[in-house]
């Protein structure tokens, strides 16, 4: 039982101001801008090499260079030309509004953000094709290399790449300029939880580069992307590999590994969808997150021209009826109650971007220790390494599409008609949504931890629901589709998802559960503001606020007791709001700075783990 104490469970050590002072003295071009609160990891950010880890674990090559670090920046009028003089230094990949950028300035629809950097590209890299990768930039990005336009991209949550080989000049020094325009909620594009004027459940704008920028050297013909989908029924992995500049007779050799043991090998044509048998398959689950190694080799004239490492898992996400004819969410053909937090993925010092990957991993690890087996990634997409860590640790993921073009009427009661439930979006607005959702699903397809796609949430910009849901399902029939979390509700998709605060509830399984799984997509939100660990000193809130950890846990534990009866009645999953406090919200398991865990981890694990033991016929 929970101990009688009013002390909070301290998660990490207090931040050392001296560490900041020393770092600022060493790096006069950059220092962390004053903000409300900071995480412990902020003091560990090295401006010479922030987030240095390899950024794309699912297609890994050795010849690459990280470009994160100090770049020049300038903010100009929207239509102004590239400035001759820049305003100062910015730490990439932290958004310009963030404390860790060293700038902490807003931009807005009437301004343009510029970046400039002189990068060194070795002669060894220049002998190959040189690719310039961006993990994510919000929103419209134009890239210039040595004064020539290399490409343009629109989208704030998907990775993109330009082949900059034609724009390189002699010698190792090359100038890269990035131009970004981002209207945030003054435009119709997907923006997630950002707002021009943050308040309540809406947060600070994020403009510009917010994921790793990097170079990669590849041969003239190279593996551009792969797609892998497990089929545990046939004990096979379906796969394909797209090749740039493939030549007649080229082959793709695929090799699957269990540790150092080769389990399968096959050669196919580039771009061909094929299957490889996986004998004695080991299934992936939260309790046993086994990952196979995978290697793709491009064979040309009998020689290996390109090679990349990857991985995969054998797992299945589907529906299946219980003894009462109620559809249940199943993992590997068995009902597994899925329970986890709503996870915004925001940071007080980096906004969208974690200060370090250790910080990012801390969230996942602590949630696992608390007894959760699932995370709902809410209205945001994470860096690739986040999904990689979930794959390794065995954390199920529900992936939301970041919302945009808000203003629809929310009808939050399933089975009740309350007026128009689809927004009339312009062709431009629809186009931005479709383009980015497709890009996100394509980029994230190979991560086995993702088991649910969620196109819409609470009617935020919701449009053509049936069409978008069926399109999503057609793009990826290997996962469940939660068409509209919390409504608006249509007879489509695999799931009926109710939002109810603060106490748990569910759609009636005897009404909705014959054709769809019923889930509680959001509930809880119990608030506990912790002095000296809040974004603001006042105007903090939760759906029900408490003064002590004991009171909060008592209420939370009662919710878990209630949940057991709902599982017996047909509930397949539940999502508690939320992982951490975020800006004005103080309803997290942890404070926004991650320095205080509000309820004892062992007690949370005890009451959460009991949910997985509920017997279902």
């Amino acid at each position: 039982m929970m101990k009688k104490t009013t002390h909070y469970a301290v998660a990490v050590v207090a931040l050392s101001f001296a560490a900041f002072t020393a770092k600022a003295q060493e790096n006069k071009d950059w220092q962390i801008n004053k903000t409300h609160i900071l995480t412990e990891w902020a003091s560990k950010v090295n401006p010479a090499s922030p987030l240095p880890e390899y950024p794309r674990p699912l297609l890994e090559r050795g010849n690459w260079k990280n470009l994160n670090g100090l770049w020049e920046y300038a903010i100009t009028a929207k239509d102004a030309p590239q400035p001759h003089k820049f305003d100062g230094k910015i730490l990439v990949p932290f958004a310009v509004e963030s404390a860790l950028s060293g700038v902490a300035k807003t931009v807005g629809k009437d301004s343009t953000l510029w970046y400039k950097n002189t990068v060194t590209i070795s002669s060894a890299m220049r002998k190959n094709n040189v690719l310039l990768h961006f993990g994510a930039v919000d929103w419209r990005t134009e890239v210039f290399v040595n004064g020539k336009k290399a490409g343009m991209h629109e989208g704030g949550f998907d990775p993109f790449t330009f082949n900059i080989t034609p724009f390189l000049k002699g010698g190792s020094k090359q100038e890269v300029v990035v131009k970004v325009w981002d209207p945030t909620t003054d435009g119709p594009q997907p923006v997630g939880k950002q707002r021009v004027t943050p308040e309540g459940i809406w947060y600070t704008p994020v403009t510009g580069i917010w994921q790793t920028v990097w170079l990669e050297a590849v041969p003239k013909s190279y593996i551009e992307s792969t797609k892998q989908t497990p089929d545990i029924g046939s004990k096979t992995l379906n796969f394909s590999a797209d090749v740039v500049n493939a030549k007649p007779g080229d082959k793709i050799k695929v090799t699957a590994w269990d540790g150092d043991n080769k389990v399968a090998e096959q050669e196919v044509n580039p771009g061909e969808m094929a299957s490889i048998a996986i004998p004695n398959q080991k299934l992936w689950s939260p309790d046993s997150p086994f990952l196979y190694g995978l290697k793709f080799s491009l064979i040309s004239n009998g020689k290996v021209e390109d090679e990349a490492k990857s991985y995969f898992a054998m797992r299945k996400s589907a529906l299946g009826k219980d003894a009462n004819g109620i559809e249940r969410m199943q993992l590997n053909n068995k009902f597994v109650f899925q329970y986890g937090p709503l996870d915004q993925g925001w940071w007080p010092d980096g906004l969208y971007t974690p200060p370090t990957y250790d910080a990012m991993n801390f969230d996942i690890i602590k949630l696992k220790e608390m007894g959760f087996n699932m995370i709902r990634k809410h209205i945001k997409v994470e860096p690739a390494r986040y999904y990689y860590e979930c794959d390794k640790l065995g954390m199920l993921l529900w992936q939301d599409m970041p919302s945009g073009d808000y203003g629809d009427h929310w009808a939050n009661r399933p089975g009740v008609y309350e007026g128009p439930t689809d927004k009339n979006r312009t062709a431009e607005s629809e186009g931005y949504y479709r383009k980015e959702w497709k890009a996100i699903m394509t980029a994230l397809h190979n991560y086995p931890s993702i088991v649910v796609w969620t196109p819409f949430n609470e009617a935020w910009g919701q449009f053509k629901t049936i069409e978008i849901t069926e399109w999503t399902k057609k793009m990826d029939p290997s996962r469940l589709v939660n068409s509209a979390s919390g409504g608006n509700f249509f007879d489509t998709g695999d799931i009926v998802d109710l939002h109810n605060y603060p106490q748990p509830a569910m759609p009636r399984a005897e009404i909705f559960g014959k054709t769809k799984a019923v889930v509680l997509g959001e509930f809880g939100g119990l608030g506990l503001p912790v002095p000296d660990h809040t974004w603001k000193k006042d105007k903090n809130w939760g759906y029900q606020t408490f003064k002590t950890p004991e009171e909060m846990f008592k209420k939370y534990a009662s919710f878990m007791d209630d949940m057991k009866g709902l599982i017996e009645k047909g509930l397949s999953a539940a999502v508690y709001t939320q992982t951490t406090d975020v800006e004005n919200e103080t309803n997290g398991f942890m404070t926004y700075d991650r320095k205080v865990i509000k309820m004892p981890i062992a007690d949370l694990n005890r009451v959460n783990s009991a949910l997985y033991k509920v017997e279902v016929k």
Side-chain angles (χ1 to χ4, degrees):
M1 294 296 292
M2 182 177 171
K3 294 180 180 179
K4 295 293 183 179
T5 174
T6 57
H7 295 293
Y8 301 103
V10 179
V12 293
V13 298
L15 180 66
S16 169
F17 180 76
F20 282 132
T21 304
K23 197 174 289 292
Q25 291 173 347
E26 294 171 6
N27 305 281
K28 295 180 180 179
D29 289 330
W30 170 85
Q31 54 185 309
I32 298 175
N33 198 285
K34 291 182 180 179
T35 188
H36 307 269
I37 50 176
L38 299 166
T39 67
E40 181 264 340
W41 297 276
S43 64
K44 300 177 182 178
V45 173
N46 180 359
S49 60
L51 298 169
E53 292 86 348
Y54 189 82
R56 192 187 58 195
L58 271 169
L59 194 66
E60 184 177 350
R61 295 187 183 90
N63 198 356
W64 73 288
K65 181 176 182 177
N66 195 317
L67 298 184
N68 292 344
L70 290 172
W71 292 44
E72 293 183 82
Y73 88 94
I75 300 173
T76 68
K78 179 184 175 184
D79 297 324
Q82 178 182 327
H84 297 291
K85 183 179 180 180
F86 280 63
D87 298 342
K89 297 288 188 179
I90 184 171
L91 187 60
V92 169
F94 299 104
V96 66
E97 295 90 350
S98 72
L100 287 174
S101 73
V103 180
K105 294 179 181 178
T106 56
V107 181
K109 65 180 177 63
D110 297 321
S111 300
T112 291
L113 173 62
W114 298 83
Y115 299 81
K116 185 171 74 170
N117 195 12
T118 299
V119 303
T120 300
I121 305 179
S122 68
S123 58
M125 289 193 84
R126 297 198 313 276
K127 289 178 182 178
N128 298 281
N129 278 344
V130 179
L131 306 180
L132 177 57
H133 298 281
F134 294 84
V137 184
D138 197 355
W139 177 71
R140 179 181 293 152
T141 306
E142 296 178 73
V143 177
F144 304 85
V145 177
N146 296 318
K148 297 180 180 178
K149 187 172 180 177
M152 191 268 282
H153 176 266
E154 290 179 334
F157 301 93
D158 57 306
F160 58 96
T161 301
F162 299 126
N163 186 338
I164 63 172
T165 310
F167 310 106
L168 300 181
K169 61 183 182 181
S172 61
K173 303 296 184 181
Q174 314 289 334
E175 183 188 79
V176 177
V177 172
V178 179
K179 177 183 179 183
V180 181
W181 176 71
D182 179 17
T184 311
T185 41
D186 287 326
Q189 80 289 349
V191 296
K193 297 294 285 288
Q194 304 173 56
R195 279 294 184 275
V196 172
T197 305
E199 61 179 352
I201 65 169
W202 311 110
Y203 315 141
T204 302
V206 172
T207 301
I209 298 169
W210 67 273
Q211 287 189 32
T212 292
V213 184
W214 55 294
L215 294 171
E216 183 180 33
V218 295
K220 184 176 180 180
S221 299
Y222 65 94
I223 300 165
E224 181 180 37
S225 63
T226 68
K227 183 176 183 179
Q228 46 242 35
T229 307
D231 185 340
I232 70 170
S234 62
K235 300 180 181 179
T236 59
L237 178 73
N238 301 316
F239 69 91
S240 64
D242 290 333
V243 174
V244 173
N245 297 319
K247 300 180 291 294
D250 283 357
K251 294 291 183 180
I252 290 290
K253 183 171 74 172
V254 179
T255 312
W257 300 82
D258 178 350
D260 295 330
N261 298 318
K262 185 191 297 185
V263 297
E265 185 174 87
Q266 187 173 341
E267 281 194 4
V268 298
N269 297 319
E272 177 186 354
M273 183 60 71
S275 298
I276 189 169
I278 307 298
N280 304 312
Q281 63 179 349
K282 298 178 181 179
L283 300 182
W284 182 98
S285 71
D287 294 329
S288 179
F290 183 82
L291 299 176
Y292 288 92
L294 196 61
K295 184 167 69 174
F296 291 89
S297 303
L298 174 60
I299 311 297
S300 185
N301 296 320
K303 297 181 179 180
V304 176
E305 186 162 347
D306 185 31
E307 199 162 70
K309 294 190 297 183
S310 187
Y311 66 89
F312 70 98
M314 299 301 290
R315 72 99 184 89
K316 178 182 178 182
S317 175
L319 295 182
K321 290 186 182 296
D322 64 17
N324 297 318
I326 302 300
E327 292 285 3
R328 298 277 189 166
M329 296 176 67
Q330 293 188 340
L331 183 69
N332 303 330
N333 297 320
K334 296 180 181 179
F335 171 59
V336 175
F337 184 72
Q338 298 186 24
Y339 182 47
L342 196 73
D343 194 288
Q344 314 278 1
W346 282 70
W347 300 85
D349 34 33
L351 299 180
Y352 266 2
T353 312
T356 67
Y357 283 125
D358 283 344
M360 182 188 74
N361 296 345
F362 175 87
D363 281 6
I364 307 169
I365 291 168
K366 290 303 171 186
L367 291 172
K368 190 84 173 178
E369 291 175 357
M370 292 175 192
F372 296 108
N373 66 2
M374 175 266 281
I375 292 171
R376 180 182 168 200
K377 182 47 61 178
H378 189 45
I379 317 298
K380 187 204 174 192
V381 177
E382 294 290 354
R385 293 194 69 89
Y386 181 91
Y387 301 93
Y388 172 54
E389 293 299 329
C390 289
D391 291 345
K392 290 196 302 179
L393 292 171
M395 184 65 83
L396 300 168
L397 287 173
W398 295 14
Q399 179 62 57
D400 289 6
M401 168 61 179
S403 308
D405 202 357
Y406 295 88
D408 196 13
H409 169 74
W410 182 28
N412 63 344
R413 297 182 294 172
V416 178
Y417 180 74
E418 300 182 72
T421 53
D422 262 342
K423 180 180 175 66
N424 291 320
R425 294 174 68 159
T426 65
E428 177 189 42
S429 175
E430 285 192 20
Y432 289 146
Y433 177 99
R434 294 175 189 269
K435 177 183 176 182
E436 191 144 11
W437 187 218
K438 181 179 180 180
I440 289 169
M441 291 181 65
T442 299
L444 300 183
H445 177 87
N446 291 344
Y447 295 104
S449 53
I450 299 175
V451 292
V452 174
W453 299 117
T454 304
F456 299 113
N457 178 79
E458 292 186 352
W460 298 345
Q462 185 173 340
F463 74 102
K464 296 183 178 177
T465 307
I466 294 176
E467 179 183 332
I468 294 297
T469 300
E470 292 178 355
W471 173 61
T472 301
K473 191 72 175 180
K474 184 177 180 180
M475 279 190 60
D476 186 6
S478 72
R479 292 179 169 95
L480 299 177
V481 178
N482 184 9
S483 123
S485 184
N488 294 336
F489 300 98
F490 289 79
D491 188 14
T492 186
D494 301 304
I495 294 168
V496 175
D497 177 330
L498 177 72
H499 291 184
N500 193 80
Y501 287 98
Q503 68 277 2
M506 63 179 281
R508 294 178 68 96
E510 66 271 25
I511 299 174
F512 298 100
K514 299 299 184 181
T515 58
K516 295 175 176 58
V518 294
V519 309
L520 177 57
E522 292 183 25
F523 81 105
L526 302 180
L528 180 66
V530 180
D532 301 322
H533 297 279
T534 56
W535 182 252
K536 293 182 178 180
K537 292 186 181 299
D538 56 8
K539 297 183 179 179
N540 299 303
W541 69 280
Y543 289 92
Q544 183 178 354
T545 300
F546 297 85
K547 294 181 179 180
T548 69
E550 290 82 8
E551 293 174 345
M552 186 176 177
F553 180 76
K554 183 178 180 181
K555 176 61 72 173
Y556 180 84
S558 73
F559 285 174
M560 296 305 98
D561 287 337
D562 294 342
M563 191 80 72
K564 296 173 186 176
L566 299 181
I567 297 170
E568 292 173 348
K569 289 180 170 64
L571 188 70
S572 277
V575 178
Y576 180 91
T577 302
Q578 61 186 334
T579 299
T580 71
D581 298 346
V582 185
E583 300 202 355
N584 296 331
E585 301 175 13
T586 55
N587 50 12
F589 289 107
M590 298 182 277
T591 54
Y592 198 15
D593 57 13
R594 277 73 168 175
K595 293 179 183 177
V596 177
I597 297 176
K598 299 179 186 180
M599 296 178 282
I601 289 177
D603 290 332
L604 288 171
N605 184 289
R606 173 173 52 80
V607 297
N608 291 341
S609 298
L611 301 180
Y612 312 127
K613 301 174 184 178
V614 175
E615 292 188 8
V616 174
K617 295 179 180 180

